[in-house]
Amino acid sequence: AQTVTQSQPEMSVQEAETVTLSCTYDTSESDYYLFWYKQPPSRQMILVIRQEAYKQQNATENRFSVNFQKAAKSFSLKISDSQLGDAAMYFCAYRRANTGNQFYFGTGTSLTVIP
Amino acid sequence: EAQVTQNPRYLITVTGKKLTVTCSQNMNHEYMSWYRQDPGLGLRQIYYSMNVEVTDKGDVPEGYKVSRKEKRNFPLILESPSPNQTSLYFCASSLRGARLVTDTQYFGPGTRLTVL
């Protein structure tokens, strides 16, 4: 089975600063999808950003961007201009591309935003 | 409004008493999944379904059953709950097709289950 590793259980950032959350994964497949999900205290799971492995260009969504390093099997999330509302648990996830609907999640990084 | 609903949102039960957590989506999605979330372990997939009458095991299927008799519904059944099944459970759905731009997983609000 694929494994997804988030080595930073907790991170903090000053408001308006930039923070990077790390994620690595282990797979023998060449085609897959990677995701970052945000879970605020409300527990709702919210998709932040998605990256297709066959695309070399890094995905961006407003203040959120990723650094996708396929050879290194690394998928970090950069949050620019951090806001208080960014405080949440962030999960990295891997999805197989061509078989079924299997998802693998990391253990999460709890992000605190300091005013 | 496009959404995934789960019921109940909170449930306290006792060991061995069969229970069902319902999940329903109104987006005509083919794919549906159940996850459990535990501190320090993230989300782990229990079962997933790719369409009506098509289900498969995820990473942690032991002690759970599912059925997909209708496209919109995907109930999670615990035949004989045990305390180690105390967890936060999420249902999710998505459109079929890995290449679609809209292949985004939509999550329900979660069900907090406590088994005494």
Side-chain angles (χ1 to χ4, degrees):
Chain A
Q2 280 70 20
T3 57
V4 178
T5 302
Q6 294 180 250
S7 58
Q8 306 153 316
E10 298 178 345
M11 292 280 285
S12 62
V13 62
Q14 292 278 357
E15 195 175 3
E17 295 297 308
T18 296
V19 64
T20 298
L21 308 184
S22 300
C23 173
T24 59
Y25 56 95
D26 182 26
T27 184
S28 58
E29 299 170 338
S30 60
D31 196 10
Y32 49 86
Y33 292 79
L34 297 166
F35 305 84
W36 278 98
Y37 281 90
K38 171 185 177 181
Q39 187 181 46
S42 67
R43 303 186 323 201
Q44 183 68 39
M45 293 290 288
I46 303 164
L47 177 67
V48 174
I49 200 163
R50 172 182 56 236
Q51 174 79 43
E52 291 90 342
Y54 66 90
K55 290 185 178 179
Q56 293 185 339
Q57 187 173 6
N58 289 326
T60 62
E61 287 287 343
N62 301 315
R63 297 183 295 106
F64 299 87
S65 61
V66 298
N67 183 4
F68 173 48
Q69 301 288 328
K70 191 172 184 178
K73 298 179 183 175
S74 171
F75 182 60
S76 60
L77 174 70
K78 186 171 83 171
I79 306 174
S80 304
D81 186 25
S82 296
Q83 301 175 358
L84 295 178
D86 295 333
M89 181 74 82
Y90 287 82
F91 292 99
C92 178
Y94 171 104
R95 180 187 186 276
R96 303 177 72 182
N98 297 319
T99 55
N101 190 34
Q102 291 171 283
F103 276 82
Y104 301 91
F105 282 79
T107 52
T109 296
S110 178
L111 179 66
T112 300
V113 180
I114 303 165
Chain B
E1 179 189 356
Q3 60 182 355
V4 178
T5 57
Q6 294 179 228
N7 282 293
R9 295 287 308 278
Y10 300 88
L11 179 60
I12 301 174
T13 189
V14 295
T15 299
K17 186 177 182 180
K18 181 180 179 180
L19 67 92
T20 299
V21 183
T22 64
C23 173
S24 182
Q25 49 93 4
N26 62 0
M27 296 168 280
N28 202 35
H29 286 169
E30 290 86 0
Y31 288 170
M32 296 185 77
S33 291
W34 275 104
Y35 297 89
R36 61 177 289 172
Q37 181 180 2
D38 302 289
L41 297 177
L43 278 81
R44 294 177 291 169
Q45 195 170 34
I46 303 170
Y47 271 95
Y48 61 92
S49 170
M50 290 175 282
N51 216 324
V52 176
E53 303 291 1
V54 181
T55 63
D56 208 345
K57 297 177 180 178
D59 271 351
V60 289
E62 294 78 18
Y64 304 94
K65 285 177 57 178
V66 293
S67 69
R68 187 93 181 272
K69 293 182 169 49
E70 302 169 285
K71 197 171 186 179
R72 64 182 294 125
N73 297 322
F74 190 45
L76 179 69
I77 303 158
L78 284 71
E79 295 269 2
S80 182
S82 62
N84 64 13
Q85 292 178 300
T86 293
S87 188
L88 177 60
Y89 291 86
F90 286 99
C91 180
S93 74
S94 60
L95 278 170
R96 181 175 60 89
R99 297 295 184 209
L100 289 177
V101 175
T102 53
D103 184 24
T104 296
Q105 198 164 211
Y106 295 84
F107 282 82
T111 294
R112 172 71 71 184
L113 172 65
T114 302
V115 183
L116 302 174

